[in-house]
Amino acid sequence: MLVSPHVGCKLTSSTGEVAVTNEIAHSPEPQFPPAPTCGQAFEGFQRPIDPRHLGGPMGVDEEHITRTPLDLTKKLRVIGMVGLVEVPAAPLPGLGFSVSHQKVELDLNLAQRRLSGRTEITIIPDSTDLKTIRLNCRQCQILRPSINGKPVTSWEYSDPYKESTLPWRAGVHQYHLLQQRIENQLKVRPEPELVVNIPKSIRIGELDPFAPDTQSPLVVKTAEGNRGIPNDAIIIDLTQNTKAAIEQVVRFTPIIFRVEFTIEDIRDGLHFVGWEEGDLRYPHAYTQNSSPSAASCLFPCLDVIDSRCTWEVSIKCARTIGDALKYTERKDAVVGNGVNGDHNEAEVEDGLSKFNNEDQAMDLVIVCSGNMTDEITDSLDPRKKTTSFICTTAVAARHIGFAIGPFEHANLAEFRELDEDEKLGQNAVPVHGFCLPGRINDLKNTCLPMAKAIDFFTLTYGSYPFSSYKICFVDEMIPDCVDTASLTMCSNRLLFPEDIIEPLDQVTRQLVHALASQWMGVNIVSKEPADTWAVVGIAYFITDMFMKKLSGNNEYRFQQKKAADRVCEADVARPSIYDTGSLTHLDSSQMEFIAIKAPLVLFILDRRLAKASGSSGLSRIISRVFLNAKVGELANSAITTPYFMKTCEKLGHAKLDTFFRQWVFEAGCPRFRVTQRFNKKKLVVEMLIQQVQGETPMDRDLEKDTFMRDVKEDMNAVYAGLGPMTIRIHEADGTPYEHIVEIKDAMTKFDIPYNTKYKRLKRSRRQKERTTGSSAIDYSADTHDDVLLYSLGDVLQSEEEIRRWRLVEWGKEDEERMSQESYEWIRMDADFEWICKMSIAMPGYMYQSQLQQDRDVVAQLESIQYMAAQREHRLVSTILVRTLVDGRYFHGVRTAAAAALSKHAKDEIDWLGLFHLEKAFQEYFCFPDSPITRSNDFSDRASYCIQKAIPEAISKVRDNSGKAPFRVRNFLFEKLRYNDNSNNEFSDCHYLAILMNGLADALASKANQDIDMLDADGLEGDDLRFFNACLEEIDRYRRLDQWIPSYHNVLSITGLDCKRKIAKASMSLINPTEFLQYTRDGCYEELRISAFNNLMELGMVRNNSLLRWFLCVLSTDPSPYIREQMLRLFGKFLGSIAIGESTSTAHGSAQPQDGLIIEQESLTDARQANLARKQTIPGALAALKLELGENAVLKTALWEVIRSPILTIREIGELLEICSLLYTPETSMLVVLKYPRYRRFISYGKQPLPSPSSFKDRTHSYMVNFKTTSRIRTSLLPPKWIPAVKKPRTQSPTLKRQGSNSSFTSTAPAPTRTLLKPPKKPGSQGAQRQASTGAMPPPSQRSTAPLDEARPKLTLKLNLKGAGARLGGAGQPKG
């Protein structure tokens, strides 16, 4: 007997029977099963399983199995969290049933991209009245469905991909007809495509709720599969044996639905890379789980997020790369030639020509969700193998994914620290990494912190919901990461080697978030789309908690402050994050907005809870949510916003209705204006806080990057603060006093008592010299109050340094005013409890005090932001440069100071800010008294950030006319030309990219009068030769990247961006071939996207030829990532035209400046139209339709894209939405008739073709050939006159067709009845008589009416019972 280590049930297995008894584990704490070592864990990937354990018709025939040396252990232990015996979720609305378990068997032909398989679905009815089973299924061919083993005779299946084209010749104006055909599949919850009627012989009855079988149908099925195996024991985790689980017991008889299916043309759900001829990448395939309906594109299932069940997946494929290609080539050769021989082998060699023997021998590894149970070699075909997996935790169908390829394996648990390994012991989770050959070192470098992250989550928030974690890197993925059960598939774009520094923080956060999504996103999902914010927010919150531990508190708070600023800028005229969850299907930017704001909302909630209740804040609440999902208290592991609110209030001991209403259910961020005044009589600080977000003008110009999102929100009818705020006053003695005020109204007045009885300490130069001169100062001592005032930024204090750096100090008047102040500075929202913009009316020296004395990086950054917004001043530049060169500041604050110095580089103060930037760079990174830079050394990351920030700040310096001074251009040019990275262990590609971009920005800057730089006479000798030298230097690095590729072709991408900036500023001629050469297939995908983006930015896509090429790539490129990015660029292109940017760029320079007289009325109308175009969606759409609506090339090319056979349903839907913006729908159908062709008779026998008169003799028969010529008849010929012949009525001769060569046999001559009749003239008796007798008038009596008038009245008759001589229908036949 084996007992589950969790609170649950005790199961005993004897002679195939299972007894279930409730029993609580005696251990006070959860005990976990012994975790295998890293080697044992990976050995489990090849462990076979007895075929009888597969159970039922889904099992593999025992005769066709070859066992591996590792034999099956008699005792099979299946330990899961909840999943294996989890009762089904509540039935979905309108379906009447739920799914408790599903088996899937797939047989993949990788090279030919074909799939076949079968699935078995265990369905739990909701009532006895269940008549139909409705499932999601796309692009499949359904074969042999059955229910409980009985064939299904009545079922309907509608493949949306067959409905994705109109069955007639249509155009863009019929887009709405196609939209109606696929609209059900474009919904958030697509309509089921497969409807199966349950046979009447299937009876659904009620079950005894107290019977053991009803508690866990999967336990019974597993026991049945193991009957006859002696001494077998099964351990099943029954932690869901709670009130919620008991309420969901099976009440009705489960039914088993089985179906087989095949997919001949896989368009969605599974992506193949490297299998095409000429593709030199390692071949592999993987599921596209980023699409909401990806699972139903591979097998029938209930593909909705709230349908969760346990899974068994078996995948059959070739054993090696060579086997995959040889199998396909040989099969095709037999079918094509019908024989086996040397010719077959030759074709196999041709198919494998791009792989050497070593590559062909690479094993194809299958990485799948769940735990691997066995790997079986097929005895009938040793080149194939079947790998089986089981997922014992109930997950949705979209969270089942797999990848197949020659992956290399890395045990990432080796990077687990020794102390953490000892702390976790047997509970340590195995972590595996998979990548394509040759990138194993990049994988280890990229995923270095993953083991540390999973240990942090496990110890802080609860046990991992699966038994192991796998991460696999593949090519051409649309998103960077896709989350499935126990498996994260990532794009190879995230991998970076050890010598690359730039993507370290961003990629690490992405990977850690993918791991956090295993808890919140896979194991726990949102119940409704509006609850998406909670899932996304919690996942990112715990991610940031780990990043705080990894990078430190300063980095954490600095990133939170930057995120809060981005939210304040973006959260304008947008719905709340609660409502945005229902709009994520419209545009990917909706999810990006939630990913930024939702974790910030939880961050400030954590701050308020920690302050209010003194508890551990939000971490305890998140742990409780994870625990409730594990024990079954969270129904179906689906979280809702009310449930999360209730849990926060219960554990946080606070009412949070106001908080959630303001930050979750309402939109926008508050903007505060704070004024303060010290009242000496009352010894209080009088403060006034005003909310001024209502005063902010809401009219904003549309942007091309967000144009499509704005349009979709407008089409879907989608259209802020209260709470406590902490105010910290640093009084004259340096002591901070905190006061908490409640913001209740738009204007809040209050008095804050003052505590210090003496004035502010004076700052004399003598004190500063004494402070800096002291060498043995204890900065933490309480006795050095004067030192505390100057703990940061007190550098460059000597007379020599002040002279060399051209620094200035406060004047006597300022020092006198400073000495009269009663406090040092006031800090609003000191605990970072608001996402807001704050404007405080404080003197500049108080901001300096805050910058130098406050140790919080958020306070320091706020001071830098204030100084950057001020007018240029020598004193501000002095403060900023001291911040820049003081290494004790956080590097983010120093880089912000460098960026702010560019705002104080103006001619009015003798370019002091520019001098300080140049001086700082020369001091730290150049040889003494020389502008030549030393060899790069990026070993100190803070120094590397400063070395990048200074040139970037210098590139933004402009004179009063808006043009970069020659000093700026020359500085950047020299640093780019003399860059030396020979002694640096790290790559300098990103540093060079900053220099190249900065130089291009400086060269592209122009004076406000639009004077062309090439013709302008520079103030400091800038000429055409220098300009060409700069262009040549930029192009040199671009060419160098072709021979020595940089990381992700950064230098080539930057070189193209530089050319675009300079060309867009009318500095040089535009050569499209410089960009087009990088748009071809075979270039790095990011480089291709950059080339297309630059063409679009330059307005070249308005050229019809380039527009056709743009849309051709969109419709034919096999990479889904390229198509996705091209679709975004197309929307950006439409946005630039809609708001008039492309028009102004293309035609702005051609407008005359002098001698132009404009009527006032016309000017007003033009301005109103232009304003409406730039600020309103209707105005922009009207302008867009006006400019592109009649473009015939776009109409044809766009409809060809929609009809592309490789696009997915989602991509087609996106293009149809674009059609709705450009064209007016027309409910019409174009009927196309082929022109008639002339026909003639050819003699078919030895006898010549007789004349028409000989047909009177009915005793002879003739064989003739009736043939259509290539000559097209475009108009009716005038009929020839044939005299009428009277004949008695006799039996008509017959005309018989012989064979398939259009031969006819005439048994008798045909009557001389006319085939064509002339039009009747009204009132003409002669014409009536001729028509009645059937005679044709002589040519002299024919009507002279035009043929066009007669054509509609002519009647063409063909009498097949008459003479074969007149079958041509026009005149005499041709022999």
Side-chain angles (χ1 to χ4, degrees):
M1 179 181 68
L2 297 176
V3 182
S4 172
H6 300 286
V7 178
C9 295
K10 178 172 63 180
L11 305 178
T12 60
S13 177
S14 177
T15 64
E17 297 180 357
V18 179
V20 182
T21 59
N22 293 329
E23 180 171 321
I24 306 299
H26 298 290
S27 177
E29 296 182 358
Q31 301 294 325
F32 296 87
T37 62
C38 298
Q40 292 173 344
F42 188 64
E43 286 178 1
F45 280 79
Q46 290 135 14
R47 184 174 300 150
I49 190 169
D50 195 294
R52 290 171 292 181
H53 288 186
L54 298 178
M58 299 296 293
V60 182
D61 191 353
E62 194 171 6
E63 298 179 357
H64 298 164
I65 296 177
T66 302
R67 290 180 177 271
T68 56
L70 294 175
D71 197 6
L72 175 67
T73 306
K74 291 184 178 180
K75 295 182 179 181
L76 175 64
R77 298 190 302 167
V78 183
I79 302 177
M81 300 298 297
V82 180
L84 185 57
V85 294
E86 186 173 9
V87 291
L92 301 179
L95 292 179
F97 67 90
S98 58
V99 177
S100 64
H101 184 68
Q102 182 165 355
K103 293 182 180 180
V104 179
E105 284 188 1
L106 302 177
D107 188 353
L108 279 169
N109 188 329
L110 295 170
Q112 293 188 350
R113 304 186 181 189
R114 292 203 302 260
L115 182 148
S116 61
R118 53 182 175 174
T119 184
E120 176 184 302
I121 306 176
T122 303
I123 295 175
I124 309 300
D126 186 30
S127 66
T128 58
D129 299 330
L130 182 63
K131 302 299 181 183
T132 59
I133 299 173
R134 293 181 291 168
L135 300 172
N136 299 103
C137 182
R138 300 183 177 185
Q139 70 182 7
C140 297
Q141 182 179 357
I142 302 300
L143 303 173
R144 292 179 288 277
S146 65
I147 296 180
N148 290 349
K150 298 181 180 180
V152 174
T153 59
S154 176
W155 52 278
E156 296 180 1
Y157 173 58
S158 175
D159 185 5
Y161 283 96
K162 293 183 179 179
E163 300 292 330
S164 61
T165 56
L166 296 177
W168 65 85
R169 182 177 295 184
V172 289
H173 290 284
Q174 285 76 44
Y175 71 88
H176 62 292
L177 301 178
L178 181 56
Q179 215 167 22
Q180 294 171 3
R181 294 167 68 96
I182 63 175
E183 62 180 354
N184 289 333
Q185 278 64 42
L186 297 175
K187 297 179 180 178
V188 179
R189 296 177 67 95
E191 295 291 334
E193 295 86 5
L194 178 60
V195 179
V196 179
N197 297 321
I198 300 177
K200 295 182 179 180
S201 58
I202 303 297
R203 301 294 181 184
I204 300 176
E206 293 192 25
L207 298 177
D208 184 4
F210 299 101
D213 294 354
T214 63
Q215 302 293 330
S216 175
L218 189 56
V219 171
V220 178
K221 293 179 65 61
T222 307
E224 292 176 354
N226 290 280
R227 284 177 181 172
I229 302 178
N231 300 325
D232 231 26
I234 304 173
I235 293 183
I236 300 175
D237 183 14
L238 291 182
T239 56
Q240 86 290 356
N241 189 15
T242 59
K243 179 180 177 181
I246 293 175
E247 292 176 353
Q248 298 178 9
V249 294
V250 180
R251 298 172 52 197
F252 303 96
T253 307
I255 58 178
I256 307 299
F257 173 71
R258 299 183 180 92
V259 64
E260 298 180 11
F261 54 90
T262 60
I263 306 177
E264 296 295 332
D265 182 19
I266 300 179
R267 295 176 59 174
D268 195 6
L270 189 64
H271 182 56
F272 299 84
V273 181
W275 297 98
E276 295 181 351
E277 188 66 28
D279 195 339
L280 301 181
R281 293 174 295 181
Y282 286 103
H284 58 285
Y286 57 90
T287 54
Q288 293 177 293
N289 297 75
S290 58
S291 175
S293 302
S296 60
C297 293
L298 298 180
F299 51 84
C301 61
L302 200 55
D303 198 0
V304 289
I305 189 65
D306 47 0
S307 175
R308 300 157 61 84
C309 65
T310 55
W311 295 82
E312 293 181 54
V313 181
S314 298
I315 302 173
K316 179 188 288 187
C317 69
R319 189 174 53 86
T320 64
I321 293 178
D323 293 335
L325 296 176
K326 288 178 182 178
Y327 178 80
T328 303
E329 293 288 346
R330 189 169 299 170
K331 181 177 179 180
D332 289 346
V334 171
V335 174
N337 301 326
V339 294
N340 292 319
D342 295 339
H343 187 60
N344 266 349
E345 298 299 329
E347 290 189 352
V348 170
E349 294 299 328
D350 291 340
L352 299 175
S353 59
K354 64 178 181 178
F355 299 107
N356 55 32
N357 295 333
E358 184 179 354
D359 292 338
Q360 295 178 29
M362 287 183 176
D363 289 333
L364 292 177
V365 179
I366 303 177
V367 186
C368 182
S369 302
N371 299 327
M372 181 177 177
T373 57
D374 65 343
E375 186 172 287
I376 303 170
T377 302
D378 195 343
S379 60
L380 295 180
D381 189 354
R383 293 172 302 175
K384 284 194 170 186
K385 64 179 179 181
T386 301
T387 310
S388 300
F389 301 84
I390 184 171
C391 183
T392 59
T393 302
V395 295
R398 67 183 60 181
H399 292 145
I400 296 295
F402 61 87
I404 305 174
F407 299 117
E408 294 182 357
H409 170 260
N411 184 10
L412 301 178
E414 295 176 353
F415 301 105
R416 182 174 281 123
E417 297 181 1
L418 183 60
D419 57 342
E420 294 180 352
D421 200 2
E422 294 176 354
K423 186 187 301 183
L424 291 170
Q426 298 178 350
N427 299 329
V429 180
V431 184
H432 304 283
F434 298 89
C435 66
L436 294 173
R439 308 209 66 178
I440 191 68
N441 293 330
D442 296 348
L443 168 67
K444 293 180 179 179
N445 180 71
T446 306
C447 301
L448 182 65
M450 297 307 294
K452 185 180 183 69
I454 200 170
D455 295 341
F456 172 80
F457 291 151
T458 302
L459 294 174
T460 308
Y461 301 106
S463 59
Y464 180 62
F466 306 98
S467 59
S468 65
Y469 179 66
K470 302 176 286 290
I471 183 169
C472 182
F473 291 86
V474 295
D475 285 331
E476 296 184 352
M477 276 191 59
I478 297 179
D480 290 333
C481 296
V482 172
D483 306 313
T484 63
S486 74
L487 168 65
T488 298
M489 284 184 286
C490 302
S491 171
N492 277 332
R493 298 185 297 271
L494 298 182
L495 293 176
F496 61 94
E498 295 180 355
D499 62 341
I500 299 297
I501 305 175
E502 199 70 21
L504 178 62
D505 291 335
Q506 179 182 358
V507 170
T508 300
R509 186 171 186 264
Q510 285 181 283
L511 295 181
V512 173
H513 172 259
L515 174 61
S517 298
Q518 296 293 316
W519 277 269
M520 203 69 180
V522 177
N523 185 48
I524 299 177
V525 298
S526 58
K527 186 174 183 180
E528 299 293 339
D531 303 317
T532 303
W533 77 271
V535 174
V536 175
I538 292 177
Y540 273 107
F541 178 81
I542 64 178
T543 298
D544 293 336
M545 289 294 102
F546 173 75
M547 295 301 296
K548 177 182 178 181
K549 179 181 180 181
L550 186 67
S551 304
N553 186 62
N554 283 345
E555 178 72 23
Y556 171 68
R557 290 182 63 85
F558 181 76
Q559 295 298 334
Q560 294 297 317
K561 174 58 178 175
K562 292 175 60 178
D565 292 340
R566 291 198 302 268
V567 169
C568 292
E569 295 295 331
D571 197 3
V572 178
R574 299 192 66 151
S576 65
I577 56 174
Y578 182 81
D579 295 328
T580 306
S582 303
L583 308 174
T584 54
H585 66 285
L586 296 180
D587 193 80
S588 59
S589 62
Q590 305 285 1
M591 184 62 74
E592 295 172 1
F593 176 72
I594 295 178
I596 297 176
K597 186 174 181 179
L600 269 177
V601 172
L602 296 183
F603 168 74
I604 62 176
L605 175 62
D606 175 66
R607 303 292 299 173
R608 294 192 182 184
L609 289 176
K611 179 182 294 187
S613 61
S615 62
S616 57
L618 200 59
S619 297
R620 180 188 175 194
I621 297 172
I622 295 175
S623 300
R624 178 60 63 87
V625 171
F626 291 166
L627 180 62
N628 290 347
K630 176 182 176 181
V631 301
E633 292 291 341
L634 190 60
N636 200 27
S637 294
I639 192 171
T640 63
T641 301
Y643 169 82
F644 184 65
M645 290 176 55
K646 181 180 178 182
T647 306
C648 292
E649 291 178 344
K650 180 179 180 181
L651 300 181
H653 308 291
K655 284 292 184 181
L656 300 173
D657 294 342
T658 303
F659 177 87
F660 279 90
R661 182 176 66 253
Q662 177 180 346
W663 297 107
V664 177
F665 299 106
E666 294 181 358
C669 296
R671 285 169 168 79
F672 295 107
R673 183 189 299 143
V674 182
T675 57
Q676 44 78 29
R677 187 177 68 90
F678 180 68
N679 191 325
K680 294 182 180 180
K681 293 183 179 181
K682 298 181 180 179
L683 288 180
V684 295
V685 179
E686 299 174 346
M687 301 196 70
L688 173 64
I689 301 179
Q690 295 176 287
Q691 298 191 42
V692 295
Q693 59 264 25
E695 300 176 7
T696 304
M698 299 304 294
D699 294 336
R700 61 184 179 92
D701 290 346
L702 298 174
E703 299 179 2
K704 60 184 178 184
D705 294 326
T706 59
F707 174 74
M708 293 304 297
R709 173 182 65 82
D710 294 335
V711 169
K712 292 175 182 178
E713 288 182 358
D714 183 77
M715 294 173 62
N716 289 270
V718 178
Y719 292 104
L722 305 174
M725 179 179 292
T726 301
I727 301 176
R728 183 180 299 160
I729 299 181
H730 294 256
E731 297 188 2
D733 61 347
T735 304
Y737 293 90
E738 289 191 355
H739 308 271
I740 300 177
V741 298
E742 192 74 20
I743 306 298
K744 297 181 179 180
D745 300 313
M747 181 179 296
T748 304
K749 291 183 179 181
F750 52 89
D751 296 336
I752 297 178
Y754 188 74
N755 300 280
T756 305
K757 301 301 181 182
Y758 49 89
K759 295 182 179 180
R760 188 174 186 267
L761 297 180
K762 296 184 179 180
R763 301 182 180 186
S764 64
R765 181 173 302 174
R766 184 176 179 182
Q767 285 178 324
K768 289 183 284 185
E769 291 176 356
R770 183 175 66 252
T771 301
T772 57
S774 178
S775 58
I777 296 178
D778 182 9
Y779 284 91
S780 62
D782 296 334
T783 59
H784 295 88
D785 292 337
D786 56 341
V787 175
L788 288 177
L789 291 175
Y790 301 97
S791 59
L792 293 175
D794 54 351
V795 295
L796 305 178
Q797 297 290 339
S798 66
E799 294 290 344
E800 178 63 21
E801 290 174 332
I802 291 176
R803 183 187 61 81
R804 287 192 302 108
W805 287 79
R806 294 163 54 183
L807 305 178
V808 296
E809 300 291 347
W810 293 98
K812 292 183 179 180
E813 295 181 358
D814 294 328
E815 288 187 356
E816 182 67 23
R817 190 163 51 251
M818 292 163 57
S819 64
Q820 299 299 323
E821 293 290 348
S822 301
Y823 47 86
E824 294 284 337
W825 74 93
I826 297 178
R827 176 85 188 282
M828 304 296 298
D829 189 24
D831 289 336
F832 204 162
E833 301 172 352
W834 291 75
I835 306 173
C836 63
K837 284 287 187 181
M838 191 78 66
S839 175
I840 309 175
M842 281 195 314
Y845 48 78
M846 289 190 178
Y847 279 102
Q848 180 192 8
S849 299
Q850 178 175 309
L851 174 65
Q852 294 179 346
Q853 300 176 37
D854 202 321
R855 300 302 182 94
D856 187 5
V857 295
V858 175
Q860 297 168 4
L861 187 59
E862 289 175 349
S863 298
I864 296 293
Q865 291 173 345
Y866 169 81
M867 294 179 184
Q870 303 305 307
R871 289 182 57 87
E872 59 276 0
H873 198 281
R874 293 177 179 272
L875 184 59
V876 177
S877 182
T878 299
I879 298 172
L880 292 175
V881 74
R882 282 174 171 165
T883 304
L884 173 62
V885 300
D886 191 349
R888 293 171 295 177
Y889 279 104
F890 177 64
H891 68 83
V893 177
R894 297 174 65 190
T895 55
L901 272 172
S902 64
K903 305 292 183 61
H904 296 271
K906 296 296 182 182
D907 191 21
E908 288 79 4
I909 56 174
D910 196 19
W911 305 101
L912 186 59
L914 177 59
F915 170 77
H916 284 158
L917 288 171
E918 293 175 338
K919 183 68 174 176
F921 191 89
Q922 194 275 334
E923 191 78 15
Y924 283 99
F925 308 110
C926 297
F927 291 105
D929 301 326
S930 173
I932 305 301
T933 57
R934 298 192 299 264
S935 180
N936 295 329
D937 183 11
F938 297 158
S939 58
D940 184 358
R941 192 180 178 203
S943 177
Y944 168 69
C945 295
I946 300 302
Q947 188 172 353
K948 292 190 309 173
I950 293 178
E952 189 174 8
I954 290 178
S955 67
K956 294 180 172 60
V957 174
R958 300 290 183 269
D959 57 18
N960 293 331
S961 64
K963 184 178 179 180
F966 179 75
R967 285 174 57 187
V968 171
R969 287 171 273 162
N970 189 58
F971 174 88
L972 296 170
F973 175 69
E974 289 181 349
K975 300 304 174 285
L976 184 62
R977 167 172 285 187
Y978 300 114
N979 177 70
D980 180 16
N981 202 59
S982 57
N983 299 323
N984 190 14
E985 61 178 339
F986 297 97
S987 172
D988 64 342
C989 59
H990 290 93
Y991 173 65
L992 288 174
I994 289 178
L995 292 177
M996 295 168 65
N997 272 321
L999 181 58
D1001 289 335
L1003 294 175
S1005 63
K1006 296 187 299 184
N1008 296 333
Q1009 292 80 14
D1010 277 338
I1011 301 175
D1012 194 347
M1013 176 180 165
L1014 295 178
D1015 299 330
D1017 191 7
L1019 297 177
E1020 297 183 1
D1022 188 12
D1023 55 7
L1024 182 60
R1025 186 167 48 193
F1026 175 79
F1027 180 79
N1028 292 333
C1030 294
L1031 293 183
E1032 177 61 28
E1033 192 64 24
I1034 292 174
D1035 201 55
R1036 181 175 70 88
Y1037 282 103
R1038 182 188 62 82
R1039 295 194 306 268
L1040 182 64
D1041 195 43
Q1042 297 177 356
W1043 296 98
I1044 308 176
S1046 59
Y1047 174 74
H1048 288 181
N1049 291 119
V1050 169
L1051 296 182
S1052 294
I1053 294 174
T1054 306
L1056 294 182
D1057 292 340
C1058 293
K1059 286 181 176 293
R1060 182 253 307 167
K1061 293 176 182 178
I1062 297 173
K1064 196 172 183 179
S1066 302
M1067 299 291 178
S1068 64
L1069 298 178
I1070 303 175
N1071 187 2
T1073 58
E1074 296 181 1
F1075 302 97
L1076 285 174
Q1077 61 179 334
Y1078 293 103
T1079 63
R1080 297 173 298 179
D1081 191 13
C1083 295
Y1084 179 61
E1085 52 189 15
E1086 293 291 344
L1087 183 57
R1088 296 182 64 193
I1089 296 301
S1090 175
F1092 277 113
N1093 179 64
N1094 288 317
L1095 288 172
M1096 187 274 300
E1097 290 281 354
L1098 292 171
M1100 294 184 183
V1101 185
R1102 296 177 69 96
N1103 180 280
N1104 289 335
S1105 298
L1106 293 179
L1107 179 60
R1108 276 194 294 263
W1109 169 239
F1110 187 96
L1111 295 177
C1112 177
V1113 174
L1114 174 59
S1115 62
T1116 61
D1117 199 279
S1119 171
Y1121 177 76
I1122 294 292
R1123 296 199 304 269
E1124 177 72 15
Q1125 296 302 318
M1126 295 292 288
L1127 201 56
R1128 288 192 178 190
L1129 287 180
F1130 190 50
K1132 189 177 178 181
F1133 163 69
L1134 297 177
S1136 65
I1137 294 179
I1139 64 178
E1141 177 181 317
S1142 179
T1143 305
S1144 61
T1145 301
H1147 306 288
S1149 60
Q1151 297 297 327
Q1153 300 295 330
D1154 300 326
L1156 181 63
I1157 300 176
I1158 303 177
E1159 294 291 339
Q1160 183 64 33
E1161 183 179 357
S1162 302
L1163 179 61
T1164 303
D1165 294 341
R1167 286 180 176 177
Q1168 290 179 352
N1170 188 51
L1171 187 65
R1173 181 178 194 171
K1174 292 183 177 298
Q1175 294 186 351
T1176 65
I1177 295 296
L1181 292 180
L1184 178 65
K1185 185 177 293 187
L1186 181 64
E1187 292 201 25
L1188 293 181
E1190 300 301 326
N1191 189 323
V1193 174
L1194 178 61
K1195 286 184 178 182
T1196 304
L1198 184 57
W1199 191 249
E1200 289 298 324
V1201 174
I1202 295 174
R1203 297 175 62 246
S1204 172
I1206 69 173
L1207 295 186
T1208 64
I1209 290 293
R1210 185 189 61 82
E1211 293 169 339
I1212 294 175
E1214 292 279 349
L1215 292 170
L1216 291 176
E1217 286 189 357
I1218 292 177
C1219 290
S1220 66
L1221 306 180
L1222 295 174
Y1223 308 111
T1224 304
E1226 297 178 1
T1227 307
S1228 60
M1229 181 174 64
L1230 181 64
V1231 179
V1232 179
L1233 300 177
K1234 294 183 178 180
Y1235 282 117
R1237 297 176 182 269
Y1238 285 93
R1239 299 180 182 181
R1240 60 174 180 158
F1241 291 110
I1242 300 178
S1243 176
Y1244 205 76
K1246 296 182 180 180
Q1247 298 180 356
L1249 190 66
S1251 60
S1253 59
S1254 63
F1255 281 104
K1256 298 178 181 180
D1257 187 2
R1258 303 186 180 184
T1259 60
H1260 299 280
S1261 62
Y1262 301 94
M1263 182 178 296
V1264 296
N1265 184 20
F1266 182 58
K1267 186 175 182 180
T1268 302
T1269 65
S1270 60
R1271 182 183 175 190
I1272 298 176
R1273 186 196 310 159
T1274 59
S1275 61
L1276 293 175
L1277 296 177
K1280 292 185 179 181
W1281 177 75
I1282 301 176
V1285 179
K1286 295 182 180 180
K1287 65 178 183 63
R1289 291 185 175 272
T1290 58
Q1291 184 177 1
S1292 302
T1294 59
L1295 185 68
K1296 299 181 180 179
R1297 182 187 295 270
Q1298 296 183 357
S1300 59
N1301 54 359
S1302 302
S1303 313
F1304 294 89
T1305 302
S1306 178
T1307 58
T1312 57
R1313 187 175 179 182
T1314 58
L1315 297 179
L1316 297 177
K1317 297 182 180 181
K1320 301 178 182 179
K1321 288 186 178 181
S1324 175
Q1325 297 180 358
Q1328 295 176 3
R1329 285 196 303 269
Q1330 292 171 0
S1332 62
T1333 58
M1336 186 69 68
S1340 59
Q1341 300 180 8
R1342 294 181 189 174
S1343 172
T1344 59
L1347 185 58
D1348 292 339
E1349 298 180 5
R1351 185 180 300 159
K1353 302 177 182 179
L1354 291 178
T1355 303
L1356 182 64
K1357 295 184 179 180
L1358 181 64
N1359 187 0
L1360 294 180
K1361 297 182 180 180
R1366 284 186 294 274
L1367 288 175
Q1372 298 293 335
K1374 297 182 180 180

